[in-house]
Amino acid sequence: MANVEENLKKMVRIFRRECHRVLESERTTIRGPDEMLIILQLTMAEINKQETGEFGVALSDVLLCWRCLLLDRLQLPSEGCRRPDNYEPIRREYEDFLKRTNTMDLIDVYLMTKQLSAEELLTPEQLLHFISGGVSEEDPVESTQAPPCPSTPSSQPRPCTAQMRRVVRRVLCSYLCLLLNSKDDLALAVSMDTPSRALGRTAFTDLKHAARSGHTSLFLAVTSFVRAIQLGGKGYAPPEDHPLRRHLKGLAEFVTFTDNLEEILGDTPDPSVACGKLLSRMRSALLKGRSSGEQIYGAVEETTAALREQISLLHTRRREEDTLTTGISPARPKAYAINHATAYMGRATVKLLLELLDQEALAPPCRNKAELLTEDQAALNGEEGHALVMLYRSPEVVTGESPKPLRSRVQAAQTKDKVKRGAGLRSQFACTYVEEAESGDGKGDGCHGDDDLPLNRVLDFPSTSQLPTCKHPAPKRNTHTTGTTGTLHPHTDPEEQEQEQPINKA
């Protein structure tokens, strides 16, 4: 296993040395196994939304498609691996996501290195074994037991879990990745609301729509919106009804924080010192307002110290390599060089950060896939946890309208009212009702219930109690009118009434 890891590092170094021949930008970052699996989950959820309208996917379906995707892209036989019905759209969307974010996964790096170099360091089976998380007998197994609880309260920080350390490390590396590759939407999704800036699912959804309408990345959509408000003036500022207006405070804090990191990157000539300042600034932001007894405090301290040591080792090795080439005139930066047409001071720091992120991509994958895909990202902000797939899911829009139209609600109310007063009314007035067996369909009997009338007639009456409900109504009493001329008697013929009118006048 150690031999495979060394060959992976050689493969990535060859890729960085020769990638300018085929890539437009040297700042293309590499996706590790864990990020590859997360991107596949987001891709399958998006395809499922296009087909069924629901943004989501089962964990078993992700793992099944994950195996098929690795075998297919490595051109290995996939016998016994059942492909999903929508596998082809999923693979196209997965590759488009990598291209859109200016990133490459380890399989792309492996295939490109085979074209750029004649030396074959790995076999497809070895790379498949590493990405899929195969563990050899010599590899240590992480302990999944919970840390012991202290018997008495202590001011010492509580021991943090491996999951918490992994989340903190991902957040720190996401900020560093945004400094190098502003098109990485996944890095922005991880770091935008960490520490908490009140930028949840609603803000992320509005940002996605703004980036999609502008055909740009999420980071550029954020920076352009904040810059237009801060520097654009009334003529160029976004309208008042812009969806991102309600998230202006949190977005401005995020842009200000990234601007401070970029200033450190460009103003500090020593790469090791610059990386140390970047880590210190991010550490202060994550620990702001937290006590030393919290679990996240220990995770941030341990992760920051580990990254400092790793950067120091990389910088020492780079200086030793530069010492071996003393006396050779440095080449002039070419068109593809890092920081071309920009400040030259931060170029060495960018190279050191790229090497650091390359080693992060070569880290062994997480063995607990369920924990990875449902990771408690919001635990750093003291909220209920959620996975990235929940962040990418658009929240339900509340319009204030009734979920059912008026006609459906009226019909439901009529049915409910009929069930309530059925037995009681029939028991009291059974003689005035016609049984269903005798009346049949009820047509032609001169009496209709509420269900036989059309809906528009029912709505015209203020109450259904005014409708006739009896088949044989009682006869009306004969009322004799006296003292009124020209009034028809109830049982008087009209012709007799005409003959009586002259007598009355006389």
Side-chain angles (χ1 to χ4, degrees), residues 488-501:
L488 288 175
H489 194 276
H491 299 286
T492 305
D493 189 84
E495 296 180 357
E496 297 178 359
Q497 182 69 18
E498 292 178 359
Q499 295 176 2
E500 295 177 359
Q501 286 180 0

Side-chain angles (χ1 to χ4, degrees), residues 288-351:
K288 184 178 181 180
R290 300 184 181 275
S291 62
S292 58
E294 296 185 21
Q295 186 178 13
I296 184 179
Y297 191 93
V300 173
E301 291 290 348
E302 293 180 14
T303 306
T304 305
L307 288 176
R308 287 179 184 274
E309 183 179 359
Q310 188 175 358
I311 290 175
S312 178
L313 293 176
L314 291 176
H315 183 57
T316 301
R317 185 176 60 81
R318 180 173 289 275
R319 284 190 302 180
E320 292 177 356
E321 293 178 354
D322 294 341
T323 305
L324 298 177
T325 58
T326 303
I328 301 178
S329 176
R332 180 179 300 178
K334 299 182 180 180
Y336 56 80
I338 298 176
N339 279 5
H340 175 66
T342 59
Y344 183 80
M345 183 175 294
R347 186 164 181 257
T349 306
V350 169
K351 285 187 174 182

Side-chain angles (χ1 to χ4, degrees), residues 156-371:
Q156 298 296 329
R158 291 179 297 175
C160 56
T161 61
Q163 181 183 5
M164 181 65 70
R165 288 194 296 267
R166 183 173 62 251
V167 173
V168 173
R169 194 178 188 94
R170 179 175 300 170
V171 171
L172 296 178
C173 292
S174 297
Y175 275 115
L176 297 178
C177 187
L178 283 178
L179 295 177
L180 308 180
N181 181 15
S182 60
K183 294 182 179 181
D184 194 346
D185 294 343
L186 190 62
L188 184 136
V190 173
S191 60
M192 185 177 68
D193 197 34
T194 307
S196 179
R197 302 184 179 95
L199 300 175
R201 286 176 54 193
T202 304
F204 189 77
T205 301
D206 295 338
L207 181 59
K208 281 195 307 180
H209 294 166
R212 189 173 302 173
S213 60
H215 302 284
T216 183
S217 64
L218 297 179
F219 184 77
L220 185 57
V222 172
T223 54
S224 60
F225 172 76
V226 175
R227 298 280 191 272
I229 291 182
Q230 294 178 347
L231 307 174
K234 295 183 179 180
Y236 296 93
E240 294 295 334
D241 58 347
H242 197 281
L244 295 181
R245 280 276 189 177
R246 51 182 175 173
H247 315 296
L248 177 59
K249 181 180 179 181
L251 296 177
E253 293 178 359
F254 175 73
V255 173
T256 303
F257 184 74
T258 54
D259 288 344
N260 294 335
L261 298 182
E262 290 179 355
E263 291 178 2
I264 296 175
L265 179 65
D267 295 344
T268 309
D270 190 350
S272 180
V273 176
C275 293
K277 290 183 178 180
L278 291 175
L279 292 176
S280 299
R281 183 63 60 87
M282 291 185 291
R283 170 188 169 276
S284 301
L286 293 179
L287 296 181
K288 184 178 181 180
R290 300 184 181 275
S291 62
S292 58
E294 296 185 21
Q295 186 178 13
I296 184 179
Y297 191 93
V300 173
E301 291 290 348
E302 293 180 14
T303 306
T304 305
L307 288 176
R308 287 179 184 274
E309 183 179 359
Q310 188 175 358
I311 290 175
S312 178
L313 293 176
L314 291 176
H315 183 57
T316 301
R317 185 176 60 81
R318 180 173 289 275
R319 284 190 302 180
E320 292 177 356
E321 293 178 354
D322 294 341
T323 305
L324 298 177
T325 58
T326 303
I328 301 178
S329 176
R332 180 179 300 178
K334 299 182 180 180
Y336 56 80
I338 298 176
N339 279 5
H340 175 66
T342 59
Y344 183 80
M345 183 175 294
R347 186 164 181 257
T349 306
V350 169
K351 285 187 174 182
L352 185 59
L353 290 178
L354 274 176
E355 192 170 357
L356 173 66
L357 295 179
D358 289 345
Q359 287 193 1
E360 288 298 314
L362 297 178
C366 178
R367 296 167 187 168
N368 192 341
K369 305 302 182 184
E371 184 182 75

Side-chain angles (χ1 to χ4, degrees), residues 358-384:
D358 289 345
Q359 287 193 1
E360 288 298 314
L362 297 178
C366 178
R367 296 167 187 168
N368 192 341
K369 305 302 182 184
E371 184 182 75
L372 174 67
L373 297 181
T374 58
E375 191 163 340
D376 194 356
Q377 182 65 33
L380 303 181
N381 302 331
E383 303 172 358
E384 292 295 331

Side-chain angles (χ1 to χ4, degrees), residues 85 96 105 285 311 318 366 425 430 449 458 476 487:
D85 297 335
D96 291 342
D105 60 7
I311 290 175
R318 180 173 289 275
C366 178
L425 291 177
V458 175
K476 296 182 179 179
T487 304

Side-chain angles (χ1 to χ4, degrees), residues 8 36 39 49 57 60 87 111 113 249 272 303 431 442:
L8 282 172
M36 292 170 61
I39 293 175
K49 180 181 179 181
V57 61
S60 58
Y87 172 76
L111 297 176
T113 306
K249 181 180 179 181
S272 180
T303 306
C431 60

